[in-house]
Structures are given as structure tokens and as C-alpha cells.
Amino acid sequence: MGKTITEKIFAAHLRDTPGAGNVILDIDVVMCHEITTPIAINDLRERGMDRVFNPDRIKAVIDHVTPAKDSKTALQGKIIREWAHRHKIKDFFDIGANGVCHAIFPEKGLIRPGNTVIMGDSHTCTHGAFGAFSAGIGTTDLEVGILKGVCAFRTPETIKIILNGTLPEGVFAKDIILSIIKKLTVKGATDKIMEFSGPVVDKMSMAARMTMCNMAIEAGATCGVCLPDMVTADYLWPFIKDDYASREEAAADFKKWHSDPDADYAGELTFEVSSLTPQVTYGYKPDEVKDIAEMSDTAVDQVYIGSCTNGRIEDLRVAASILKGRKIAAGVRGIVSPATPKTYSMALEEGLIEIFMRAGFCVTNPTCGACLGMSNGVLAEGEVCASTTNRNFNGRMGKGGMVHLMSPLSAAAAAVKGVISDPREFSTTAA
Amino acid sequence: MKEFGGACVLLDRSDINTDEIIPAKYLTENSKLALKPYILEDLKLNSFDPQTSLEGAKVIVTRQNFGCGSSREHAVWVLEVNNINVVIAESFARIFRQNTFNCGMLAIELPKEDIEAIFAIEAEEIKIDLKGQKITALGHGEHSASFELNPFDRELVMAGGWLAYADQKY
């Protein structure tokens, strides 16, 4: 029997098998942010266990609330900052160099094919885009990860998701993943890996793959994963050029992780994307998804473009293609948060920031901010936001607020029209 | 090991998420105890009132996919500091379930029929026999059901959580 990519990664990292169906894995990368890590740090200190298993394999960032908004968030920053310095964690990204964790860590080349990655953040599944096993975990798992470099998982089962066809203009990875979650429901992939494959994935950029893997958790999945290939090698090239003679050689080496043709899957789903239209969520669960045409004319108070799902340069370019030369509707508040400093400076150089500002958007520093209602764009009771983020739970962006998840193009269209609308009505130059 | 069982509260909905259990705005707290007043603050459910409905409760009984969404262990801690060490459901979200066992607490999965029966008798108390892997719900009548813990999860509960277990073994 052949193995899936995840089974191969598990086999290569197996530390222990404590009972049937459970495995303890060695972890390559333990990532930390200032919301879920400080309690772990305090707890380890109280137990007299203030150690790290390997400072080079621990990465840290302050991203959820930055700059600090009050004394409590300032203290969270202080705790993780002092800890990172104390343990000589060199990949620590603090204010001025910080960005949304699931955007900045890949951008720095810190996740490689075949890696095992954990973080106290549910959207850690994003990094499966690189052909890694990458899972969100809680603070206790994080403590053990920091201390011992291991983490417990159940033996993985994989759902193979095959994407066929050609993505139509105006339709993006975000629309695909929303339609997949609609089909699977919020619990359809619990305890499972979502393995994305097929010609549509082969052609996708790393940004698009990250958008898809990012939302695997919204179907309950442990991780999303794509098979690492030439696109992966191109993205990682600046970081791996000393390890391989050429990009082709890197891509060929990555193939060792690819799922075998006779691998065993818990399920298989095939999607034809050629007829897919822009998608949007309508309720408080990410599986409550409709064609955007069915939601048109829903008025919005705020439009938010950013987050680990859709705050990358590719997303900003797409949104700007509609906003160029246009103004956002009266009464609508537009907020854009480039996900990393590099994204921000690229957007500046490409003139995108000017397009956003002329359109009437507020441009914030890189941060998770509004996505989880912690800062930089919290909604008031009864307000509605068209958002490129990943979660529409009741109260997510502020108590009593309603969040409609959509692609950056659809969010830009909502900003201009003041109501949710099919972005394909705009003539754009979007790729 | 913690104590398990006692008065229960029934939450008649599937997919109760971590943001409903503990909203993100409270994630700036640096102690578990500080979370105590905010338990299930954003849960909108019929006559449920987080201020009064949880009085004395030691066990939550609910439907499918409890704890979906965020990885925040705060969703487990807020139960723990309110003396709720057990959640019984048809199914759990993976991270929430793991966090529960990692804290030495119980996430018990029961078949739909047993959950239906517990709701039908409007259970007010759940007795838990961890060794015999059996629960007994008392309300308008009585309903007993067997459950099966994953052996590793069971070891975590016996050890008092994952940190104690891992520190000994790895």
C-alpha cells in the first residue's frame, strides 16, 4: 500500500506510538505569537521549566494586536519579546518588521516541503501549501512543543480534493475553498487532512495555495496540503539556492514527498471549477455559502481587505484592479491591512497604496487586527462587513457584527458599490 | 486527577464555536482565572443566560462539533475555572478535544441516540464512572451509556495533562 504525503511526513518524524491510532511527532518548526504564547511562557516559568528545545527551530512574531492597543496587549508583547531575547530566538519579528504570522513566516522561507509545523493558532494549516504537515494547536501543546519539540496527533486520514477545469475570470482560490467548505460542512473534514490536487492546483501561485490551505480548518481539517512542485521551488528559491544546483533539481527532490498513486484515502471529492462563480458567506458559519449573485444588494458598513487568508500582494493587486480610478461608496469604511512589511512596500512601489488611498481606504500596518475583532476595525452592534478573512462567527469582528467572507475582488466591488455585488460587473485587468 | 461529574447544563445546538465560548477580546488576559466571568458570553441560545444557567454546573452536554474554530485553549480554561471539567457531545472539533485532554479534562463522545436520550429526560445531573467508561444521566428518568476513551487520551487524563505526561516520557 502506498502512502499519502502526510503519511510520509509522519513516518519521517515518528518519535513514539503511545497506543493505537496515536503518534508523537518530532516537530521541525514551532511558531509562536503574542496571544497564545505568553500564557505558555508564564506557565513554564512557574513550573521552573523556562527552556526551549532548540531556539533555531522556534519562530516568533507579534502580530495579532500591534502596535499594542492597551496595557494588557503591551504586556503580552513584553512577555514574548523578553522570552525571545532570553532564549536567543533569532527569527523573532517585532514591530517595524512584523506581519501576520501565516504570511510572514512563509515569506521568510521558514517552512519547507516535508516539515512538521505547529503553532497556537488554528490557521497554521496554511503552511500545508508548501507540502508540509502544519497544524494549529492549543497552549499546552505549544508548551510541550517549546520544551520538547514533540506533539501528539492521531494517525492521519486524508480526503483527496481534485480540482479540475479552468478558473474563470473574477473567480479565485477563495471562491474555490468557500465552495469546498459548503460541500464538506464545518465538520466534514474533522481529524482529516485535505489534500488539494489536480490541474487547477498545479497552476496556482503559492499565494493562492495558501489561501486554500488557510481555510481547511473551517471544514474541521487538521491541515490542508498541496504537493510541492516547481511553483514551490520558485517561491523558496532564494532560501534554498545553496542546497540545490537548480530549481528543477529542488522540484525533483520535493517529489519524494508526493502521495503514491496507490495511497489510501478516506474520501475523494472532485470539483469542476470552470463554472464556479464568486462565492460569499451569508450566516455565522463558514459553510453557509451562496453564489454572490444571491446576496447582491446587501448593504455593508465596512470593507476589510487583509489577513492570513487574503492579505498578500497578489490579493492587494486584485482588489486594486477594481479600486483604480474609483471611489468607495459614501458611508462605507474601507480598511486594508497589507499582511507583511514586504507586502506593504511592494504595494507602495507598485502604486497600489495610492490607489487604495485615493479610493478612500484607510491603510493600516500589517496586523491580524479586525479579522478577530481585537483592533483596527472592530464592528459596532448591527454593522455589516464585507471581508477577505476566514471566519464569520457571531461576534468575530465585534459583538453583534455580521461578517460576509469573500475574495479580495468581491470585497473591492462591495466597497465601490456599498452593497455586496458580483465583481465581474466591473471591467478589470485582474489576472 | 480532576473530579468528574455532577450537575449538568444542556446546550441544544451543534457547532458551538470557540468565539462563543470565549470571545477574542478576552484573549489579552494573561491568567486563566481572569477569564472566569466571560464563559459562553456570546452564545445565543433560547433561554440560555451565561450569568445564571451555568450555576453549579460541572458538566456540559451538547450536540455535534463542539469547540470548532480557533485553537485558543482559553475555551477549555474558561470551563475549567468555572469547575466544568467534562463536556459530553456527539462530536468535537479536533483542537478543542485535544486541548481538553491536554488539560486532564474529559471530552466524551456519545452516539446521537444517547445524546438525544439525555436531552429527552432533561438531565440535571451526570454521574461519570471513568474506570467503567460509563455515564448515567439523571433527570425525568435515567439514561446510562457507555463511552470509549482513546487509550492515549485516557492516559493524559490519568497523568493530569499532556505537560506532565510529556515531561516524564520525552
Side-chain angles (χ1 to χ4, degrees):
Chain A
M1 180 61 75
K3 287 188 173 129
T4 63
I5 178 170
T6 309
E7 286 167 340
K8 289 184 183 184
I9 296 171
F10 271 45
H13 292 81
L14 192 63
R15 168 76 75 96
D16 194 8
T17 45
N22 297 281
V23 292
I24 308 294
L25 298 183
D26 282 315
I27 302 301
D28 294 314
V29 188
V30 178
M31 308 191 303
C32 304
H33 65 53
E34 90 283 13
I35 296 297
T36 52
T37 315
I39 288 195
I41 296 167
N42 286 348
D43 189 53
L44 288 172
R45 293 192 86 165
E46 279 167 26
R47 291 171 190 261
M49 300 162 104
D50 183 22
R51 304 184 294 270
V52 301
F53 82 107
N54 181 344
D56 293 339
R57 279 156 61 181
I58 295 178
K59 319 292 172 187
V61 67
I62 295 176
D63 63 352
H64 275 55
V65 185
T66 179
K69 65 173 180 173
D70 56 16
S71 305
K72 284 179 178 173
T73 49
L75 178 60
Q76 288 181 309
K78 186 172 193 274
I79 292 169
I80 195 170
R81 186 178 295 121
E82 289 178 352
W83 170 79
H85 293 321
R86 189 161 70 240
H87 294 292
K88 302 186 171 50
I89 294 166
K90 62 180 194 308
D91 290 316
F92 168 57
F93 305 102
D94 202 348
I95 196 151
N98 59 355
V100 175
C101 52
H102 307 308
I104 198 164
F105 290 140
E107 196 182 271
K108 301 284 182 186
L110 301 178
I111 299 100
R112 308 291 171 79
N115 275 175
T116 51
V117 183
I118 58 170
M119 182 176 200
D121 190 286
S122 62
H123 293 107
T124 305
C125 50
T126 309
H127 311 287
F130 289 85
F133 171 73
S134 186
I137 44 125
T139 293
T140 302
D141 273 341
L142 182 65
E143 283 182 58
V144 173
I146 288 169
L147 206 54
K148 306 277 180 180
V150 299
C151 195
F153 291 96
R154 293 198 178 172
T155 314
E157 290 188 350
T158 300
I159 303 176
K160 187 176 191 175
I161 296 171
I162 303 162
L163 302 177
N164 287 327
T166 309
L167 209 50
E169 198 170 320
V171 185
F172 299 87
K174 181 64 160 286
D175 302 299
I176 297 177
I177 190 65
L178 285 173
S179 71
I180 292 172
I181 296 163
K182 177 184 185 179
K183 174 96 175 175
L184 280 172
T185 80
V186 289
K187 45 191 165 286
T190 300
D191 278 318
K192 301 202 169 49
I193 312 296
M194 288 162 73
E195 183 180 313
F196 301 103
S197 61
V200 178
V201 185
D202 295 343
K203 272 185 245 143
M204 272 183 181
S205 66
M206 286 312 301
R209 293 177 188 183
M210 283 191 262
T211 299
M212 283 209 309
C213 290
N214 175 270
M215 291 192 73
I217 181 70
E218 308 309 331
T222 306
C223 183
V225 69
C226 300
L227 305 181
D229 59 7
M230 200 60 211
V231 177
T232 323
D234 278 336
Y235 184 100
L236 289 174
W237 186 244
F239 310 103
I240 59 173
K241 61 180 167 36
D242 295 336
D243 305 331
Y244 297 101
S246 67
R247 295 165 193 237
E248 288 71 21
E249 191 189 293
D253 182 47
F254 295 164
K255 280 200 171 157
K256 67 183 177 220
W257 299 112
H258 283 206
S259 299
D260 297 323
D262 59 342
D264 192 22
Y265 289 93
E268 193 170 301
L269 283 173
T270 303
F271 286 82
E272 170 56 58
V273 305
S274 303
S275 55
L276 189 66
T277 60
Q279 303 287 296
V280 62
T281 61
Y282 61 87
Y284 290 126
K285 294 197 296 170
D287 60 0
E288 295 177 326
V289 174
K290 284 181 177 174
D291 292 346
I292 207 160
E294 295 176 70
M295 286 291 289
S296 59
D297 301 332
T298 304
V300 302
D301 301 289
Q302 178 168 301
V303 172
Y304 182 71
I305 296 171
S307 85
C308 54
T309 322
N310 281 123
R312 299 183 180 82
I313 189 68
E314 292 85 348
D315 302 311
L316 268 46
R317 286 179 192 139
V318 161
S321 71
I322 279 187
L323 296 171
K324 189 172 187 177
R326 294 190 172 100
K327 291 258 181 227
I328 61 179
V332 174
R333 309 186 296 270
I335 300 168
V336 57
S337 300
T340 67
K342 186 182 173 193
T343 299
Y344 200 145
S345 48
M346 284 176 81
L348 267 172
E349 282 166 24
E350 294 179 22
L352 306 180
I353 297 298
E354 192 177 354
I355 292 171
F356 279 109
M357 292 184 76
R358 282 179 187 264
F361 265 76
C362 162
V363 184
T364 83
N365 63 298
T367 175
C368 307
C371 171
L372 74 167
M374 290 193 82
S375 64
N376 274 11
V378 180
L379 299 175
E381 190 97 28
E383 285 189 332
V384 176
C385 182
S387 178
T388 68
T389 55
N390 44 41
R391 215 163 255 164
N392 55 342
F393 294 164
N394 185 14
R396 173 79 177 178
M397 201 176 272
K399 198 177 179 74
M402 168 59 92
V403 174
H404 296 291
L405 306 176
M406 60 187 76
S407 76
L409 193 75
S410 298
V416 171
K417 287 219 162 179
V419 294
I420 293 175
S421 52
D422 192 326
R424 295 171 303 175
E425 292 166 18
F426 290 85
S427 147
T428 74
T429 52
Chain B
M1 198 173 68
K2 292 183 183 296
E3 287 186 10
F4 303 111
C8 68
V9 62
L10 308 180
L11 301 179
D12 192 3
R13 215 197 78 197
S14 287
D15 306 320
I16 292 175
N17 66 57
T18 48
D19 286 61
E20 291 170 311
I21 300 168
I22 182 79
K25 63 186 171 199
Y26 302 123
L27 304 187
T28 59
E29 299 294 346
N30 283 310
S31 90
K32 297 179 186 181
L33 207 56
L35 303 171
K36 194 172 179 184
Y38 313 121
I39 182 168
L40 289 160
E41 186 180 275
D42 274 353
L43 182 66
K44 301 269 181 297
L45 193 60
N46 305 329
S47 56
F48 177 79
D49 176 355
Q51 297 302 322
T52 58
S53 305
L54 295 162
E55 192 78 40
K58 303 264 197 259
V59 179
I60 285 175
V61 184
T62 183
R63 302 283 185 178
Q64 297 178 354
N65 198 33
F66 186 78
C68 62
S70 157
S71 66
R72 66 189 69 153
E73 200 158 307
H74 305 69
V76 174
W77 299 332
V78 76
L79 303 183
E80 186 183 21
V81 297
N82 280 284
N83 300 314
I84 296 171
N85 289 331
V86 187
V87 183
I88 300 174
E90 235 182 285
S91 62
F92 292 91
R94 184 196 72 84
I95 306 175
F96 180 88
R97 183 191 66 217
Q98 192 66 49
N99 289 346
T100 306
F101 288 114
N102 283 351
C103 289
M105 293 159 61
L106 279 176
I108 297 176
E109 287 184 346
L110 287 181
K112 188 180 171 74
E113 306 79 64
D114 289 317
I115 297 289
E116 290 287 0
I118 296 170
F119 275 95
I121 63 167
E122 295 175 7
E124 289 176 349
E125 189 190 344
I126 307 270
K127 290 182 176 160
I128 293 169
D129 171 6
L130 187 59
K131 209 169 164 198
Q133 303 208 101
K134 203 181 119 183
I135 67 116
T136 306
L138 305 167
H140 307 305
E142 193 179 309
H143 180 80
S144 294
S146 310
F147 63 90
E148 208 177 322
L149 283 189
N150 176 310
F152 174 63
D153 293 340
R154 191 186 162 82
E155 280 191 56
L156 295 183
V157 175
M158 307 299 266
W162 171 226
L163 191 60
Y165 179 99
D167 193 43
Q168 242 175 14
K169 284 199 74 168
Y170 305 108

